[in-house]
Amino acid sequence: MEIFHRHSMSFERLKVPLPGMELGHINVYVFRCSDGYVLIDAGLATYDAALALIRGLKSLGVKLSEISKVFITHLHADHITLVQFLSEVASPDFYIGKEELRDTITSFDEFINKYIDEYKRHGVPADILEAFLKLHPMSRFRKAYEDIWKLNWKGVGDGEKVGCGLEAVWTPGHTPGHTVYVTKFGIFTGDHVLPKITPNISWYPRPGFNPLKEYLSSLKKVDLKTRGFPAHGDEIPNLSARVSELLKHHERRLNEILKVLQEPLTTYQVAKRISWDAGAFDQFNAYNKIFAIGEALSHLIYLEEAGVIRRVEKEVVYWVRL
Ligand SMILES: [Zn+2]
């Protein structure tokens, strides 16, 4: 565990395990505010994570009942699903970006089926779709989601001062309502900017949402020479430098996709043909294939809106260069 002392404010980082996820851990940041303790993100609803969080807080001398505010960066399972547990042992206020709350009204079947239908339309084979239904965190943590949707969430606005020296800044892309929390000494970046890996920018079941376009403009919102405190991995000493690497990464991928589109291809075929930092697509497990397909699709939607490619709807969607 690391202890930070910066300016007048100090906060600490608990590395809470993510059992069954390659990311390994999530950082839960903890600091003292006037009426209690604040957490940034919560963790995954598993026994190991709950135990690690309790032990971590205990080692900092924080009583669970003293947790007064929990700020969640986005609705992914590894960040949010442990909040139900916190609501049982304390009575904190729960905050999340307003846009993130728009999907909490739909049923899970409906939400997951939107993915399955869309991926099918993009040429994804049945075995991968089946794995999606089994492995996707939205399915695996369905029970936890059903509980936490019922909590009394406070939706935060873009630029809203949310107390404890934090300003919420919307950074859509990784999810439509992803929110970072800005302080005088740096930014709690959630999954918007990560130090080692490029955050997954995937298709999202929301009409008109162009995830990559949103993401690239959100990156510019945090293109600052300040520190980043990410949800996974170590502190980012210079956010600006990391942002320019991420911008270059997506530019390279867009160019590569244009290069492979010498003939009409489905999104699935594009995902198979482009290069991935993690290795060859065919060697990926089903879980990573799903993320790679979503990533390819977000880039294709970006190129479509930019007017460089168009879709041809047959029994599945083919992409054609203009
Ligand atoms: Zn995430």
Side-chain angles (χ1 to χ4, degrees):
M1 189 182 314
E2 295 173 31
I3 298 176
F4 297 81
H5 291 284
R6 297 271 151 73
H7 303 272
S8 58
M9 194 156 169
S10 70
F11 65 88
E12 320 205 29
R13 171 173 80 142
L14 298 175
K15 283 174 81 168
V16 177
L18 294 174
M21 286 190 176
E22 281 169 31
L23 280 169
H25 74 276
I26 179 168
N27 297 320
V28 175
Y29 295 99
V30 186
F31 59 92
R32 175 96 204 166
C33 184
S34 54
D35 59 343
Y37 284 91
V38 172
L39 303 188
I40 310 277
D41 282 330
L44 192 66
T46 69
Y47 173 81
D48 289 351
L51 196 60
L53 185 61
I54 296 176
R55 286 184 176 157
L57 290 168
K58 204 168 165 187
S59 75
L60 300 175
V62 177
K63 291 195 190 84
L64 291 172
S65 59
E66 293 176 305
I67 300 168
S68 59
K69 289 185 168 70
V70 179
F71 293 96
I72 299 294
T73 56
H74 63 295
L75 52 61
H76 282 163
D78 50 330
H79 299 255
I80 197 174
T81 51
L82 203 51
V83 299
Q84 183 61 33
F85 165 83
L86 292 171
S87 84
E88 301 287 346
V89 296
S91 314
D93 289 328
F94 293 109
Y95 298 83
I96 193 165
K98 260 185 206 156
E99 280 295 311
E100 221 62 342
L101 293 171
R102 273 178 50 186
D103 292 307
T104 60
I105 33 141
T106 48
S107 82
F108 276 93
D109 290 327
E110 210 179 303
F111 191 76
I112 292 290
N113 282 334
K114 283 183 188 166
Y115 276 98
I116 298 300
D117 291 347
E118 185 70 5
Y119 280 33
K120 211 186 274 175
R121 242 159 56 80
H122 286 280
V124 178
D127 59 323
I128 299 181
L129 295 176
E130 221 165 277
F132 188 105
L133 280 171
K134 269 198 223 119
L135 295 174
H136 196 277
M138 281 279 180
S139 308
R140 278 174 58 210
F141 292 91
R142 179 194 182 113
K143 176 74 182 68
Y145 274 113
E146 281 169 358
D147 286 341
I148 59 182
W149 269 192
K150 293 181 197 132
L151 293 173
N152 188 18
W153 289 96
K154 292 180 189 298
V156 300
D158 188 22
E160 190 178 327
K161 303 261 193 302
V162 288
C164 304
L166 298 177
E167 183 188 341
V169 173
W170 287 2
T171 49
H174 181 64
T175 63
H178 190 289
T179 299
V180 301
Y181 296 95
V182 178
T183 72
K184 279 202 191 89
F185 53 87
I187 302 180
F188 295 106
T189 61
D191 282 359
H192 183 48
V193 183
L194 296 171
K196 291 262 152 59
I197 55 166
T198 54
N200 181 244
I201 306 303
S202 205
W203 181 80
Y204 195 91
R206 181 173 292 189
F209 184 60
N210 181 335
L212 183 61
K213 188 179 169 195
E214 296 280 349
Y215 181 63
L216 297 178
S217 63
S218 294
L219 275 182
K220 287 165 194 149
K221 277 175 123 172
V222 297
D223 185 1
L224 304 166
K225 283 192 172 48
T226 185
R227 279 178 289 257
F229 310 110
H232 312 282
D234 296 332
E235 182 183 321
I236 301 162
N238 182 340
L239 262 177
S240 231
R242 184 62 185 141
V243 164
S244 70
E245 287 172 6
L246 293 169
L247 291 170
K248 271 188 215 120
H249 165 85
H250 289 288
E251 203 182 301
R252 270 199 306 273
R253 179 153 289 162
L254 288 167
N255 285 327
E256 194 187 352
I257 289 177
L258 281 179
K259 228 178 259 166
V260 301
L261 275 181
Q262 299 299 331
E263 51 179 325
L265 296 175
T266 66
T267 300
Y268 181 64
Q269 289 168 326
V270 169
K272 277 168 81 81
R273 290 189 193 189
I274 59 177
S275 57
W276 299 98
D277 295 340
F281 180 89
D282 290 327
Q283 308 299 315
F284 286 173
N285 59 25
Y287 188 75
N288 285 331
K289 280 182 181 161
I290 290 160
F291 283 111
I293 294 160
E295 184 91 16
L297 185 48
S298 74
H299 286 71
L300 288 159
I301 291 169
Y302 181 89
L303 292 169
E304 180 188 31
E305 201 177 302
V308 242
I309 65 170
R310 70 184 173 90
R311 65 176 77 199
V312 176
E313 308 252 1
K314 297 202 172 158
E315 70 285 11
V316 288
V317 173
Y318 285 91
W319 298 100
V320 179
R321 263 186 88 157
L322 291 176

